[in-house]
C-alpha cells in the first residue's frame, strides 16, 4: 500500500552496508539521526531527502589491531555506531564499537 501511494523515498546511503541499527528522533531540532558503519546521518524531518553525513571511522591502528586479532577487516573492523543520545541543546552523545575498542564523543549539532 505504501509503495502504491508513492510516499516512499529510497535511501542508498552506504554501498554494501545494512548496518543502520541506531536511531534518534529529535523533534525539537526536526532531525532524525541514524547511526551506521563509520557514519552518522542527520535527516531533515521536513524534507527527508535533505541529509548530512558525519564520517566517524575507526583509526588505522585500531583497524590493524582488529585485523591482527583475526577479525574480518571489512565486516568487523569498523566503528559501528551503537549509541545516539541528546546531550543538551547543542550536542549529541555518541558511542561506537571502535573495532572492539569502544569510543564515545560529543558531537556538535547546532
Amino acid at each position: 500500500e505504501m509503495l502504491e501511494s508513492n510516499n516512499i523515498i529510497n535511501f542508498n546511503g552506504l554501498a554494501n552496508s545494512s548496518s543502520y541499527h541506531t536511531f534518534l528522533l529529535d523533534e525539537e531540532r526536526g532531525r532524525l539521526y541514524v547511526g551506521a558503519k563509520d557514519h552518522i546521518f542527520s535527516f531533515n524531518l521536513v524534507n527527508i531527502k535533505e541529509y548530512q553525513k558525519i564520517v566517524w571511522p575507526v583509526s588505522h591502528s585500531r583497524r590493524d589491531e582488529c585485523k591482527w586479532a583475526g577479525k574480518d577487516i571489512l565486516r568487523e573492523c569498523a566503528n559501528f555506531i551503537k549509541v545516539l543520545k541528546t546531550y543538551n541543546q547543542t550536542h549529541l552523545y555518541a558511542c561506537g564499537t571502535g573495532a572492539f575498542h569502544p569510543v564515545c564523543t560529543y558531537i556538535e549539532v547546532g
Side-chain angles (χ1 to χ4, degrees), residues 12 28 36 38 41 63 68 73 82:
N12 296 326
E28 188 175 308
D38 295 326
F41 293 93
R63 183 171 295 151
W68 295 330
I73 196 162
K82 296 295 184 182

Side-chain angles (χ1 to χ4, degrees):
E1 187 175 307
M2 288 178 69
L3 286 173
E4 293 170 3
S5 69
N6 288 327
N7 286 333
I8 294 180
I9 297 170
N10 287 328
F11 173 66
N12 296 326
L14 304 172
N16 302 319
S17 179
S18 60
S19 299
Y20 306 100
H21 300 290
T22 307
F23 300 88
L24 172 64
L25 180 62
D26 188 342
E27 292 178 274
E28 188 175 308
R29 290 186 189 98
R31 308 296 296 183
L32 171 65
Y33 299 98
V34 179
K37 177 182 175 185
D38 295 326
H39 295 79
I40 299 171
F41 293 93
S42 173
F43 293 92
N44 181 331
L45 292 178
V46 175
N47 182 0
I48 203 76
K49 290 180 183 178
E50 286 182 22
Y51 68 91
Q52 297 170 334
K53 178 171 58 172
I54 300 167
V55 181
W56 189 19
V58 70
S59 69
H60 293 292
S61 61
R62 291 290 189 211
R63 183 171 295 151
D64 289 344
E65 285 179 31
C66 181
K67 181 176 130 184
W68 295 330
K71 304 292 183 186
D72 184 316
I73 196 162
L74 296 176
R75 293 186 183 164
E76 299 175 289
C77 299
N79 188 27
F80 295 94
I81 310 306
K82 296 295 184 182
V83 173
L84 289 172
K85 178 84 175 137
T86 302
Y87 180 71
N88 60 24
Q89 300 225 346
T90 59
H91 289 79
L92 295 179
Y93 183 67
C95 297
T97 60
F100 298 95
H101 289 86
V103 60
C104 294
T105 191
Y106 296 96
I107 299 172
E108 186 174 353
V109 291

